Amino acid sequence: PYPGPMGAFVTIKTSSETKAKMLQETLVSMSQINNIVQLPPPEILHDKIMYHIDIEQLIHPLMPMIQKIRTDIYGSRCMTQLVGLGKAIALYQNDFKESNPPTLEALIETEDVHPKMLVCPKSNLPYVYRGNDLDARSSSSMILIHDQPNYHKDRIHVLYADCHAKALTPAEFLEAIERDNRIRKEHNLPEKQP
């Protein structure tokens, strides 16, 4: 690739024997890219094919895909952290007669959890801890930890009492909170809002 005034020139040089095959393969490759991005027609000069490509023209259509991948990576990191916190809570329960820690910060001192584990990797805001009045015998449908709505585009990540994490839509999250509060009421525990 050679820089041009508005983008880049792609130049392919061929020998006379392979010229036809190389030209054909190159044009096929460029036509596949052209399905995504409208490229100008190539300039063919003797044994060279030259495309004048505006780099912004190539990148712009890919931005939604790049943003989705980035969002997925943050979501995966968040879920991994929640599962790690669930394991730390299980260790805490073993050490403290099946009770949950009073705060997530207690895990830093007792279970050697790094402080960065207590915040969402995307927003750097703390997770919401609902499990301080629960213990190892709590229903698996009860929510221990969740991130704030709108941390991740259209998902709320939740860690349940049995230490499995799930990404919920906003509607599913509200249903999970309602279910959690019904169970709390049955066990004479205070209801909690998200």
Side-chain angles (χ1 to χ4, degrees):
Y2 299 97
M6 298 289 290
F9 284 105
V10 178
T11 306
I12 300 170
K13 190 172 182 178
T14 64
S15 69
S16 57
E17 297 170 8
T18 59
K19 184 176 181 179
K21 185 176 180 184
M22 289 284 289
L23 286 172
Q24 184 179 6
E25 288 174 2
T26 302
L27 291 172
V28 167
S29 296
M30 294 310 285
S31 71
Q32 289 170 348
I33 292 172
N34 206 25
N35 289 335
I36 300 171
V37 179
Q38 293 299 315
L39 297 176
E43 293 180 40
I44 301 175
L45 302 171
H46 306 292
D47 59 350
K48 296 179 184 177
I49 300 174
M50 294 177 61
Y51 275 91
H52 181 70
I53 302 169
D54 183 357
I55 300 300
E56 189 175 311
Q57 191 180 10
L58 284 175
I59 294 174
H60 183 71
L62 301 176
M63 288 307 291
M65 182 176 65
I66 292 168
Q67 186 61 37
K68 182 181 180 333
I69 291 168
R70 191 171 173 216
T71 300
D72 291 347
I73 289 169
Y74 277 124
S76 295
R77 284 181 58 201
C78 186
M79 297 282 279
T80 300
Q81 280 188 203
L82 287 174
V83 169
L85 287 172
K87 291 176 182 178
I89 289 171
L91 291 171
Y92 185 96
Q93 291 169 343
N94 286 337
D95 296 339
F96 293 91
K97 300 179 183 177
E98 297 190 347
S99 63
N100 283 358
T103 64
L104 289 178
E105 290 75 14
L107 297 173
I108 296 170
E109 297 168 17
T110 60
E111 304 306 325
D112 201 27
V113 168
H114 194 281
K116 284 187 176 182
M117 289 282 293
L118 306 183
V119 297
C120 172
K122 182 177 182 186
S123 67
N124 285 323
L125 296 173
Y127 289 118
V128 176
Y129 181 50
R130 295 173 60 95
N132 60 335
D133 53 357
L134 304 179
D135 58 32
R137 298 176 304 269
S138 298
S139 168
S140 62
S141 299
M142 298 191 77
I143 299 171
L144 288 180
I145 305 169
H146 65 82
D147 54 16
Q148 289 288 341
N150 301 324
Y151 275 19
H152 301 277
K153 193 170 183 173
D154 58 351
R155 296 279 183 243
I156 296 107
H157 299 117
V158 174
L159 178 73
Y160 289 94
D162 64 355
C163 296
H164 83 276
K166 197 168 183 182
L168 304 176
T169 65
E172 292 169 335
F173 176 69
L174 291 176
E175 288 173 20
I177 292 291
E178 287 175 14
R179 184 173 45 252
D180 181 84
N181 280 331
R182 277 195 305 273
I183 296 168
R184 286 177 164 280
K185 197 172 185 179
E186 291 169 10
H187 294 284
N188 296 319
L189 294 170
E191 291 184 30
K192 294 186 178 184
Q193 297 307 308

